[in-house]
């Protein structure tokens, strides 16, 4: 069927819409989900973060979670990534992320490899070298993604230099590390990316560049993809992120606000989106 579709595209006609495949129609959802963290004092009741929460959104969306610190935003991300599981689940409790989705998480605290690895090795961590991979093209794509995210020129000059963490005199900040983490996620090109406060460490310019790439990831179903490949032939891309600070840049397709164990959906047209 995919070959037939490519043939029909070559002829200027599309016989069916690949975005309507059954697995692409499966929603990401939570039903009647509660979660509590145990306290250090065993005599006290666990601290409730989420209570009977429900959430549902389709694949192929840029979804923003808002709320105060400690309100449960990160917990929702962990639940959807199967990093934690509901506490006191009822019979009707459900957390469902379609199992075919490859999911990459970007945490608030950036992680990089040891002091002797290069930026390129950090960007491509987890990608196995094989004859089927054009490593030169992958390296160039890594460079472009980092530059587009706002990485400083003096850092880019050490792109393939071992010991970029400071051994060779290059000073790298937490913001630089976060750009590497963000760049790695976009380079991996999974079907789903989950980001907890992705721009919290970035300056205003870098934050806007990050938001633009997040939007591109969803709209183009990947970043720096082959322009010869029609977008409809790519699998949908979903990005879920959290934020504390709103700005005037409107990027999210759907916005949810967590407060007092409750989740409410906001209208993106009447809201501002984050940095």
């Amino acid at each position: 069927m995919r070959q037939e579709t490519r043939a029909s595209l070559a002829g200027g006609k599309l016989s069916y819409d690949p975005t309507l495949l059954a697995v692409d129609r499966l929603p990401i959802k939570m039903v009647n989900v509660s979660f509590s963290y145990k306290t250090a004092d065993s005599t006290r009741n666990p601290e409730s973060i989420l209570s009977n929460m429900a959430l549902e959104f389709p694949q192929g969306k840029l979804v923003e979670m808002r709320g105060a610190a400690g309100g449960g935003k990160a917990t929702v991300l962990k639940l959807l990534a199967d990093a934690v599981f509901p506490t006191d689940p009822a019979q009707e409790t459900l957390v469902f992320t379609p199992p075919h989705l490859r999911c990459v998480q970007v945490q608030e605290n950036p992680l990089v490899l040891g002091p002797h690895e290069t930026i390129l090795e950090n960007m491509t961590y987890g990608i196995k070298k094989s004859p089927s991979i054009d490593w030169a093209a992958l390296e160039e794509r890594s460079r472009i993604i980092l530059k587009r995210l706002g990485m400083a020129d003096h850092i880019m000059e050490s792109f393939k230099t071992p010991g970029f963490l400071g051994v060779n005199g290059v000073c790298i900040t937490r913001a630089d590390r976060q750009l590497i983490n963000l760049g790695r996620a976009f380079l991996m090109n999974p079907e789903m990316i989950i980001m907890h406060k992705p721009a919290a460490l970035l300056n205003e310019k870098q934050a806007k560049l990050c938001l633009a790439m997040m939007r591109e990831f969803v709209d183009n179903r990947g970043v720096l993809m082959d322009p010869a490949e029609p977008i409809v032939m790519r699998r949908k891309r979903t990005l879920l992120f959290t934020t504390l600070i709103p700005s005037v840049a409107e990027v999210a397709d759907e916005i949810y606000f967590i407060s007092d164990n409750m989740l409410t959906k906001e209208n993106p047209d009447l809201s501002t989106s984050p940095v």
Side-chain angles (χ1 to χ4, degrees):
M1 181 177 291
R2 184 170 289 271
Q3 291 179 343
E4 293 174 357
T5 303
R6 290 188 183 277
S8 64
L9 281 170
K13 297 180 180 180
L14 184 61
S15 59
Y16 81 106
D17 185 352
T19 64
L20 297 181
L21 293 174
V23 291
D24 291 331
R25 291 199 298 264
L26 293 172
I28 297 163
K29 64 191 303 183
M30 297 169 54
V31 178
N32 194 31
V33 172
S34 298
F35 190 88
S36 300
Y37 285 103
K38 294 182 179 180
T39 61
D41 185 352
S42 60
T43 63
R44 296 177 56 189
N45 292 327
E47 180 183 0
S48 177
I49 300 296
L50 306 176
S51 179
N52 301 321
M53 183 168 289
L55 168 69
E56 181 173 339
F57 57 89
Q59 297 177 52
K61 298 292 184 180
L62 181 58
V63 180
E64 174 189 346
M65 305 291 294
R66 292 183 183 175
K73 302 184 303 298
T75 302
V76 171
L77 300 191
K78 292 176 182 178
L79 285 162
L80 291 174
D82 287 338
V84 298
F85 300 95
T87 54
D88 301 323
Q91 184 175 359
E92 62 273 18
T93 295
L94 172 68
V95 178
F96 180 73
T97 300
H100 71 283
L101 299 181
R102 294 176 300 132
C103 181
V104 170
Q105 297 184 67
V106 178
Q107 300 296 334
E108 178 184 8
N109 295 317
L111 299 175
V112 294
L113 302 180
H116 302 294
E117 280 68 31
T118 67
I119 295 178
L120 176 61
E121 288 171 331
N122 272 272
M123 286 285 290
T124 57
Y125 179 76
I127 301 177
K128 296 182 179 180
K129 289 189 176 182
S130 70
S132 62
I133 296 178
D134 185 342
W135 201 258
L138 187 66
E139 177 182 332
E140 181 62 18
R141 187 162 169 257
S142 301
R143 289 179 181 272
I144 295 174
I145 287 175
L146 271 188
K147 284 292 293 181
R148 285 183 52 190
L149 285 171
M151 183 65 84
D153 290 339
H154 74 279
I155 300 293
M156 294 301 300
E157 290 173 359
S158 301
F159 190 73
K160 297 178 69 175
T161 302
F164 77 97
L165 292 179
V167 175
N168 292 329
V170 178
C171 179
I172 186 168
T173 66
R174 291 186 68 205
D176 297 328
R177 295 172 186 237
Q178 182 68 335
L179 291 178
I180 293 172
N181 276 257
L182 293 167
R184 183 192 301 123
F186 290 123
L187 182 69
M188 295 294 289
N189 193 32
E191 285 81 17
M192 184 173 181
I193 297 179
I194 291 178
M195 297 180 170
H196 183 42
K197 294 189 283 190
L201 299 174
L202 308 182
N203 60 38
E204 183 177 358
K205 178 181 178 181
Q206 291 170 333
K208 290 181 178 179
L209 293 172
C210 174
L211 289 170
M213 190 165 290
M214 291 161 61
R215 186 72 262 176
E216 177 185 346
F217 174 78
V218 173
D219 292 342
N220 291 349
R221 302 185 180 183
V223 174
L224 294 179
M225 305 301 291
D226 183 359
E229 180 185 32
I231 292 178
V232 294
M233 296 304 300
R234 305 170 192 158
R235 303 304 298 269
K236 289 184 176 181
R237 296 295 187 267
T238 303
L239 197 152
L240 176 64
F241 68 107
T242 64
T243 183
L244 286 171
I245 308 172
S247 77
V248 296
E250 297 182 359
V251 295
D253 296 313
E254 298 190 8
I255 300 173
Y256 295 88
F257 186 80
I258 299 179
S259 178
D260 299 326
N261 288 341
M262 299 296 294
L263 182 69
T264 56
K265 185 175 181 179
E266 298 184 359
N267 186 345
D269 295 333
L270 302 178
S271 304
T272 57
S273 291
V275 293

